[in-house]
Amino acid sequence: MIKVDKQLKAGDYTVLLLDSEIPHGRFSKLLIDGKEYKPEIVFDLKNSIGISAVGEFEGKEIKFMA
């Protein structure tokens, strides 16, 4: 189970800092609290992924889906 450890606001995006590595498999969407988000790769932060959304994601489970 991967959880959001912290989050950062970056313009129109929220960067999610995760408590473990992003899966190496293929994925095209994220599922958080039953809602789907399109992921954006964050190149400069380890174990991080971006989404075009505003909200409170810290402590929530994140699922990577094909």
Side-chain angles (χ1 to χ4, degrees), residues 10-46:
D12 293 334
Y13 295 91
T14 298
V15 178
L16 306 174
L17 290 82
L18 310 178
D19 65 356
S20 52
E21 288 187 23
I22 293 172
H24 296 289
R26 207 173 154 152
F27 60 89
S28 62
K29 56 188 169 185
L30 306 174
L31 189 65
I32 304 171
D33 272 352
K35 187 170 179 184
E36 292 182 2
Y37 299 93
K38 181 179 180 241
E40 301 292 338
I41 301 301
V42 177
F43 293 101
D44 295 336
L45 293 172
K46 186 176 180 178

Side-chain angles (χ1 to χ4, degrees), residues 3-10 13-19 32 37 45 47-51 53-60:
K3 287 192 173 185
V4 178
D5 192 32
K6 294 184 180 183
Q7 68 183 58
L8 305 169
K9 183 76 175 131
Y13 295 91
T14 298
V15 178
L16 306 174
L17 290 82
L18 310 178
D19 65 356
I32 304 171
Y37 299 93
L45 293 172
N47 301 337
S48 298
I49 195 92
I51 56 173
V54 175
E56 292 296 323
F57 301 101
E58 289 183 15
K60 297 190 178 177

